[in-house]
Amino acid sequence: MWFHSGEAAMVRERGARWAAGVMAAVCMLLLLGPSAAPSSGASLAGRLPFDAPGEAVPERVATWNICNPCGGSGRNFGRATEIATSAPQVIGLQEACVRDVEEIRTYLKEVYGLVYHVEYGTVLRNWNRCGGLPWRPGGFGQAILSAAPMTDRESVPYPDGGSENRGYLAVTTLVAGRPVRVFNTHLAERRQGGVRAGQVRVLAAEVARHDRAIVLGDFNAVPTAPELAPMWPLAADTDPACRPEPTAGAPCTPTTDWNLKFDYVFLRGPTPHTHRVRPSPYSDHHVLHTDLNRS
């Protein structure tokens, strides 16, 4: 079949538009990954529990160590789904690679309609752990996602990180309609109690400067551990059964697969209304969230 020059140009233009459309669809599938494909005609949002909030809950804060299993292949969609299930106003993530957090934020926005601001407290740049190029490795450490903008960011490494660099990230944002200083930390590994003691002293001194503070994180220590002593006069954990002295009442709810309480939401000023611990297949730490009283 022969075309005049004008008709040939139109054919070429249509072909280019078709190719561009196919390419855009392929790029979206690559971005969202194979787990993002709807199954049995169900929408992606339909994978959430029926009582999922659908939008960020203004008085809800959460903490989650998202690593082990680490890596992002196929797991970040699941992690985003875990976060969307409770939709906290603020969540502190530990052992977080920057590229994984960015992918999680993309899923939260594109799949679940949840838009979060982000701040990072990077303590390591490690190609083996977080990918990237050998001369430009990925960032690893803490991250805070907040539905409201954050200000006055501080990322502070501890003087002694133990076997791996550790630190805390702090921001000011809105929770339950009021400004509050939010800290997110990850303390030294579980057999390094002496190192953790020094880290807690550094963190507690900063928390004490604020009348309203929320401290999130993986402390790698049970509530009765002596190294946590500086925190308890300043703030209480959201779980009323988790205290520095063993209680005869309800047990302290574990937050890890090995049946230990390592993860905390310490509150200084704000008071808890309810809390929940939810195991996840995407980490050996459970998602801990709490709803605060409005005051």
Side-chain angles (χ1 to χ4, degrees):
M1 182 179 294
W2 297 93
F3 295 99
H4 296 294
S5 60
E7 293 173 326
M10 290 176 63
V11 169
R12 287 194 299 270
E13 182 180 355
R14 289 171 185 162
R17 285 200 301 267
W18 178 85
V22 169
M23 206 49 153
V26 169
C27 288
M28 182 58 70
L29 286 173
L30 288 173
L31 174 66
L32 294 179
S35 60
S39 59
S40 303
S43 70
L44 290 170
R47 297 184 180 185
L48 293 178
F50 74 93
D51 57 348
E55 58 185 16
V57 181
E59 63 273 11
R60 182 169 294 170
V61 295
T63 185
W64 190 22
N65 183 323
I66 63 173
C67 193
N68 200 16
C70 302
S73 178
R75 297 190 181 102
N76 286 333
F77 179 76
R79 290 168 177 152
T81 302
E82 292 280 15
I83 295 171
T85 296
S86 57
Q89 174 80 356
V90 170
I91 183 168
L93 303 177
Q94 302 90 42
E95 294 202 65
C97 291
V98 170
R99 63 175 58 204
D100 286 344
V101 175
E102 290 304 311
E103 190 174 354
I104 289 167
R105 289 179 69 222
T106 297
Y107 288 131
L108 285 167
K109 179 180 179 180
E110 300 297 333
V111 179
Y112 297 116
L114 295 169
V115 178
Y116 283 100
H117 304 267
V118 64
E119 292 289 354
Y120 294 101
T122 295
V123 293
L124 290 173
R125 294 199 174 275
N126 190 295
W127 178 77
N128 289 327
R129 190 190 291 268
C130 291
L133 299 172
W135 55 90
R136 192 180 178 185
F140 175 83
Q142 288 74 246
I144 295 176
L145 302 184
S146 173
M150 293 173 277
T151 60
D152 304 319
R153 170 192 172 274
E154 288 185 296
S155 180
V156 179
Y158 292 123
D160 183 358
S163 57
E164 181 179 84
N165 293 352
R166 297 290 163 93
Y168 72 80
L169 170 66
V171 301
T172 299
T173 189
L174 291 178
V175 178
R178 295 187 61 184
V180 64
R181 192 66 170 166
V182 178
F183 295 83
N184 181 21
T185 192
H186 183 198
L187 300 189
E189 294 178 356
R190 58 193 296 187
R191 293 178 178 85
Q192 299 174 339
V195 176
R196 286 196 301 275
Q199 294 171 348
V200 172
R201 285 194 293 270
V202 171
L203 177 63
E206 184 62 26
V207 173
R209 296 179 58 246
H210 302 273
D211 293 330
R212 290 178 53 81
I214 299 171
V215 185
L216 311 170
D218 173 6
F219 282 68
N220 268 320
V222 297
T224 56
E227 61 265 31
L228 297 191
M231 286 301 302
W232 294 111
L234 298 174
D237 183 59
T238 183
D239 186 339
C242 296
R243 294 292 180 264
E245 306 85 14
T247 60
C252 178
T253 305
T255 63
T256 64
D257 285 353
W258 50 92
N259 206 37
L260 294 172
K261 161 80 171 182
F262 276 1
D263 305 271
Y264 295 82
V265 176
F266 282 110
L267 301 174
R268 177 174 171 84
T271 57
H273 177 60
T274 60
H275 77 279
R276 181 179 178 184
V277 176
R278 190 178 68 253
S280 169
Y282 303 104
S283 174
D284 56 1
H285 286 254
H286 305 169
V287 182
L288 166 61
H289 79 247
T290 187
D291 290 352
L292 307 180
N293 290 313
R294 284 185 170 267
S295 59

